[in-house]
């Protein structure tokens, strides 16, 4: 049915007798104009009839119809706010198909994945009970005692893929304390994502030792999970993001090593074959003054520590490039994830491994333009004063190409950018190492998106030295508007007249008693914090607004944990603020201490709230999500949605339990 008003009007006009059309033409087409008005209403009626038919089907119905169709089939509405979760229409569409398979383990796994967006593994704990088996239905894989020769099985004990038999537990699974009983079903969720990094310059420790992380720190490697091919297929270790162990890499090296796999080494432009790679323990060996188990003939890889030892019989390599996968909770701080929606202007200057002169490229865009790093290699920049001078009212953007994460290693000091009056500066997708980013002059705006200003670490040729408390970002420009979005940074020093906005970011001083935000011997500029985690003491002229934030701070030397000089202005809402802080009026805040999986930069669970964290923080945001940097993951809503759906899809008498495997 044609619903174009112009086409309908033309067709109606053609159906009129020719005599009326001739007379209408003589009078200036008043009749045609009248028919055009009627045709618009006819079109409205036609569209309504078509939409009424489309509203009978979940695939084509209007959004407002979705909950009504869901109500007809008993699909209770979910939050559906978490990223990567279809929710709404897709959830209702899948309900009937899943209910036909109600109670099956595969259906529970699929439901958990669809509702939470996390990889999931469902476990029937009665299959892991040590029991006398019925001979007509023998399960030879369910051994009463553990096979001590099966290394992988021993390593997987207490996880979702263990095969060891257990005695009955009488504690309830709902409390996550008891598991092994006949009626218990466990749903294991994997919150840590496996994120790829391709073509990265390995961090150099010395001539023979490297780290996968270009920062020179220990960082565990992760597997590359593959999609399940059938709805009835159960998830195995190859289907979920898992940290690689030395045993797993040794037993599964052919499937884990190579292009598009979990890891790949390229030395001096030549990919290292799998036959030359060995999984080994490269832990520190104080007696030898280096790493243990280095080989003379093979490349040693330690996936637990993320270390590489090149063979001593080979020539000293000059260029080691790695591709690997690392684990993290969210897409912040730069990486190979999608950032295309935030990249608008075309690049005017490009830097790549074939043209590594960063300083020359900076000089080219000083009058305005976009400097783009084309790959994920490490670039060295000899610092000077300043490195970049931006002209009046010019806009300069320094960014990584979409899908890349370059590292800019400073040699000799800080990266100084002097911006003239009215200038605008943006950094996107970069990792800055070895010094601070120092902004001077009188810029109008400074924006950092998806950047990592490495907190507390200085990478040198000899090794890695900790610098807790040293600033990673210094703003001496009073009056500048500075914004950090989806960033990880060390401490910030901001001039009293500046204004700092921190969104979806981590600011880490490496110690709650060290200053994380302030000025040079005075209070820092006005501060706005939204959905972020700050570790360290805060001293600001005005805490203008704080929402869904976590302040992890401790008073030291008479200094308060969080101190705002002006308390009659501003507001702190739905945030965790330590006792003894001096802040503006509070609304629904808590003084409970946050507990984290890890506070070590580089760890997969960095700044992730522990499951034992106080509920006032885990569900204390303004929308009942968690406070802090991972607020936008909506993890409490995902868990609530899953519990709602499990009640609908479990067999009678079964009890569910939700466990976080990462």
């Amino acid at each position: 049915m044609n619903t174009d008003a112009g086409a309908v009007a033309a067709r109606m006009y053609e159906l009129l007798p020719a005599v009326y059309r001739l007379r209408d033409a003589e009078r200036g087409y008043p009749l045609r104009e009248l028919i055009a008005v009627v045709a618009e209403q006819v079109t409205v009626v036609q569209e309504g009839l078509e939409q009424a038919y489309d509203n009978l089907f979940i695939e084509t119905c209007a959004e407002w119809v979705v909950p009504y169709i869901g109500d007809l089939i008993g699909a209770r509405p979910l939050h559906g706010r978490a990223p990567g979760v279809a929710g709404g229409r897709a959830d209702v569409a899948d309900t009937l198909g899943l209910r036909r398979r109600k109670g099956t383990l595969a259906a529970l796994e699929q439901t958990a994945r669809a509702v939470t967006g996390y990889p999931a593994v469902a476990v029937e704990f009665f299959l892991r009970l040590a029991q006398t088996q019925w001979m007509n239905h023998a399960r030879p894989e369910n051994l009463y005692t553990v096979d001590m020769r099966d290394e992988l099985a021993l390593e997987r004990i207490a996880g979702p893929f263990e095969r060891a038999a257990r005695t009955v537990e009488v504690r309830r699974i709902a409390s996550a304390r008891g598991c092994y009983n006949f009626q218990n079903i466990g749903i294991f969720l994997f919150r840590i994502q496996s994120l790829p990094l391709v073509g990265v310059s390995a961090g150099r420790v010395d001539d023979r030792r490297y780290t996968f992380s270009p920062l020179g720190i220990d960082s565990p490697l992760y597997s590359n999970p593959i999609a399940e091919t059938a709805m009835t297929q159960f998830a195995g270790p190859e289907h979920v993001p898992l940290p690689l162990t030395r045993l797993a890499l040794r037993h599964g090296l052919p499937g884990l090593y190579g292009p598009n796999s979990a890891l790949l080494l390229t030395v001096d432009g030549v990919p290292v074959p799998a036959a030359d790679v060995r999984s080994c323990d490269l832990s520190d060996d104080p007696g030898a003054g280096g790493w243990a188990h280095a080989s003379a003939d093979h490349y040693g890889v330690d996936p637990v520590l993320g270390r590489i030892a090149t063979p001593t019989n080979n020539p000293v390599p000059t260029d080691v490039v790695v591709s690997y996968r690392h684990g993290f909770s969210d897409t912040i701080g730069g990486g190979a994830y999608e950032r295309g929606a935030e990249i608008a202007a075309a690049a005017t200057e490009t830097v790549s491994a074939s043209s590594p002169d960063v300083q020359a490229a900076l000089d080219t865009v000083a009058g305005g333009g976009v400097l783009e790093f084309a790959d994920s290699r490490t670039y060295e920049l000899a610092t000077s004063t300043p490195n970049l001078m931006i002209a009046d009212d010019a806009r300069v953007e320094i960014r990584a190409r979409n899908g890349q994460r370059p590292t800019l290693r400073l040699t000799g000091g800080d990266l100084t950018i002097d911006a003239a009056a009215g200038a605008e500066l943006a950094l996107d997708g970069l990792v800055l190492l070895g010094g601070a980013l120092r902004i001077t002059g009188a810029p109008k705006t400074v924006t950092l998106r998806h950047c990592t200003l490495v907190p507390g670490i200085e990478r040198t040729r000899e090794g890695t030295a900790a610098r807790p408390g040293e600033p990673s970002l210094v703003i001496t420009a009073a009056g500048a508007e500075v914004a950090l979005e989806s960033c990880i940074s060390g401490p910030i020093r901001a001039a009293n007249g500046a204004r700092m906005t921190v969104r979806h970011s981590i600011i880490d001083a490496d110690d709650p008693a060290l200053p994380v935000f302030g000025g040079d011997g005075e209070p820092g500029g006005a501060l706005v914090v939204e959905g972020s985690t700050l570790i360290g003491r805060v001293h600001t002229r005005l805490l203008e607004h704080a929402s869904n934030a976590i302040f992890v701070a401790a008073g030291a030397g008479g200094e308060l944990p969080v101190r705002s000089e002006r308390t009659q202005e501003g507001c702190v809402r739905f945030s965790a603020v330590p006792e003894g802080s001096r802040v503006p009026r509070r609304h629904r805040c808590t003084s409970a201490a946050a507990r984290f999986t890890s506070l070590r930069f580089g760890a997969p669970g960095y700044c992730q709230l522990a499951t034992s964290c106080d509920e006032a923080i885990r569900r204390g945001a303004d929308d009942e999500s968690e406070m802090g940097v991972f607020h936008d993951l909506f993890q409490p809503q995902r868990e609530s949605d899953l519990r709602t759906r499990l009640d609908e899809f479990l067999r009678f008498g079964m009890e569910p339990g939700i466990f976080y495997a990462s």
Side-chain angles (χ1 to χ4, degrees):
M1 186 180 295
N2 194 337
T3 57
D4 181 68
V8 172
R11 178 59 179 160
M12 292 174 63
Y13 193 70
E14 290 174 1
L15 293 175
L16 292 174
V19 61
Y20 295 121
R21 283 180 282 153
L22 290 174
R23 292 180 180 177
D24 186 44
E26 294 174 355
R27 291 169 173 77
Y29 297 103
L31 181 58
R32 187 173 64 180
E33 294 176 0
L34 175 62
I35 290 178
V37 175
V38 175
E40 291 180 1
Q41 302 307 311
V42 171
T43 302
V44 171
V45 174
Q46 289 177 342
E47 291 177 349
L49 292 174
E50 291 186 359
Q51 187 61 54
Y53 179 78
D54 291 341
N55 285 346
L56 299 176
F57 308 97
I58 188 62
E59 294 85 355
T60 56
C61 69
E63 283 297 326
W64 65 269
V65 183
V66 171
Y68 291 94
I69 296 179
D71 190 54
L72 287 174
I73 61 175
R76 286 183 284 178
L78 305 177
H79 293 91
R81 298 190 60 185
V85 178
R89 187 186 304 272
D91 182 61
V92 174
D94 291 340
T95 298
L96 288 180
L98 289 171
R99 285 188 178 170
R100 294 190 186 100
R101 299 159 51 227
K102 178 178 180 179
T104 64
L105 202 63
L108 292 175
E109 275 190 5
Q110 185 179 352
T111 299
R113 285 194 301 270
V115 170
T116 65
Y118 292 135
V121 175
V123 176
E124 296 174 305
F125 284 114
F126 76 88
L127 295 176
R128 297 183 179 175
L129 291 177
Q131 56 182 299
T132 303
Q133 298 189 30
W134 184 33
M135 297 307 297
N136 289 339
H137 185 59
R139 302 196 306 275
E141 73 282 356
N142 188 22
L143 302 177
Y144 188 83
T145 57
V146 178
D147 184 357
M148 302 301 293
R149 291 168 294 185
D150 191 342
E151 297 176 315
L152 282 177
L154 292 173
E155 190 173 65
R156 291 169 179 168
I157 286 179
F161 302 109
E162 77 163 338
R163 299 196 301 269
R166 303 283 189 136
T167 55
V168 173
E169 285 187 310
V170 297
R171 293 175 294 185
R172 297 291 298 274
I173 194 173
S175 64
R177 298 176 63 197
C179 300
Y180 303 94
N181 210 330
F182 289 96
Q183 74 276 14
N184 291 345
I185 299 288
I187 305 295
F188 290 84
L189 301 177
F190 295 79
R191 297 183 293 173
I192 299 295
Q193 305 177 45
S194 176
L195 303 172
L197 287 174
V198 179
V200 179
S201 300
R204 186 179 183 279
V205 179
D206 57 30
D207 288 343
R208 296 293 180 183
R209 297 184 297 164
Y210 291 82
T211 63
F212 278 88
S213 170
L215 309 181
I217 61 176
D218 293 340
S219 179
L221 309 186
Y222 267 67
S223 64
N224 184 13
I226 60 176
E228 298 170 43
T229 57
M231 294 179 64
T232 55
Q233 183 179 5
F234 297 131
E238 68 276 10
H239 300 125
V240 296
L242 289 173
L244 291 180
T245 64
R246 300 177 181 108
L247 278 176
L249 184 60
R250 188 170 76 215
H251 287 279
L253 182 61
L256 295 172
Y257 184 85
N260 302 319
S261 296
L263 68 151
L264 176 67
L265 304 180
T266 302
V267 177
D268 296 334
V270 180
V272 177
D276 293 343
V277 177
R278 293 288 185 273
S279 173
C280 57
D281 183 356
L282 297 177
S283 300
D284 294 330
D285 186 355
W291 295 345
H293 306 117
S295 173
D297 302 315
H298 298 93
Y299 288 87
V301 172
D302 188 337
V304 175
L305 299 175
R307 295 179 175 182
I308 308 164
T310 63
T312 55
N313 288 344
N314 287 15
V316 175
T318 59
D319 186 30
V320 179
V321 178
V322 295
S323 297
Y324 68 103
R325 303 183 76 91
H326 68 107
F328 199 54
S329 301
D330 200 3
T331 52
I332 67 172
Y337 51 83
E338 179 61 36
R339 304 176 0 259
E342 301 173 9
I343 297 177
T348 59
E349 185 71 20
T350 302
V351 175
S352 65
S354 59
S355 57
D357 193 346
V358 179
Q359 185 59 59
L362 289 173
D363 295 339
T364 304
V365 299
V370 179
L371 170 60
E372 184 174 82
F373 289 82
D375 50 39
S376 297
R377 302 295 296 273
T378 296
Y379 297 88
E380 291 193 2
L381 178 62
T383 54
S384 58
T385 309
N387 286 89
L388 175 62
M389 297 185 66
I390 305 177
D392 291 351
D393 300 321
R395 185 186 188 279
V396 174
E397 181 177 358
I398 307 172
R399 74 188 185 204
R401 182 170 294 176
N402 190 27
Q404 305 295 331
R405 194 189 76 167
T407 299
L408 189 59
R409 189 164 72 88
L410 307 177
T411 58
D414 298 337
L415 170 61
T416 302
I417 299 178
D418 184 72
E424 298 180 7
L425 172 66
L427 278 72
D428 189 348
L430 304 179
V431 177
L432 196 65
L433 181 66
L437 172 63
R438 187 175 295 271
I439 308 297
T440 63
K444 179 181 178 182
T445 61
V446 178
T447 304
L448 281 74
R449 291 187 299 267
H450 299 286
C451 290
T452 296
L453 309 182
V454 180
I457 291 178
E458 178 183 11
R459 181 72 176 92
T460 65
R461 187 174 181 83
E462 291 73 26
T464 302
R467 298 190 309 163
E470 289 291 321
S472 295
L473 176 62
V474 179
I475 309 292
T476 63
E481 291 278 343
V482 185
L484 268 69
E485 301 174 3
S486 301
C487 291
I488 300 174
S489 175
I492 298 173
R493 301 289 178 267
N496 191 283
R499 183 176 184 269
M500 173 72 63
T501 301
V502 180
R503 295 189 182 94
H504 190 210
S505 298
I506 300 171
I507 314 298
D508 185 5
D510 200 50
D511 187 332
L514 294 175
V516 72
F517 181 85
D520 189 6
E522 61 179 355
L527 179 63
V528 176
V529 182
E530 297 178 356
S532 298
T533 300
L534 279 68
I535 303 170
R537 289 188 287 107
V538 174
H539 189 192
T540 176
R541 171 175 57 86
L542 170 63
L543 187 55
E544 187 175 317
H545 179 74
S547 178
N548 301 329
I550 296 177
F551 295 91
V552 182
E559 294 288 342
L560 302 180
V562 181
R563 180 180 179 183
S564 175
E565 292 296 324
R566 297 165 63 180
T567 58
Q568 295 179 342
E569 296 181 52
C571 176
V572 180
R573 58 191 294 273
F574 299 97
S575 297
V577 184
E579 290 185 2
S581 299
R582 178 184 174 185
V583 297
R585 64 184 184 277
R586 310 184 193 193
H587 175 70
R588 303 290 293 274
C589 292
T590 179
S591 59
R595 301 185 65 181
F596 299 93
T597 302
S598 174
L599 284 178
R600 184 181 69 83
F601 173 73
Y606 179 54
C607 286
Q608 179 191 65
L609 291 181
T611 54
S612 58
C613 186
D614 195 296
E615 287 291 298
I617 297 177
R618 287 192 67 221
R619 299 177 182 271
D622 56 3
D623 52 6
E624 299 182 1
S625 184
E626 68 180 55
M627 298 175 182
V629 63
F630 301 127
H631 165 270
D632 290 349
L633 292 178
F634 299 104
Q635 296 185 91
Q637 285 89 333
R638 298 190 200 217
E639 182 177 327
S640 298
D641 289 348
L642 179 56
R643 293 190 186 279
T644 299
R645 280 291 178 264
L646 287 178
D647 291 341
E648 299 176 3
F649 289 99
L650 275 177
R651 297 191 302 270
F652 178 76
M654 306 302 290
E655 294 187 21
I658 298 175
F659 304 90
Y660 291 109
S662 63

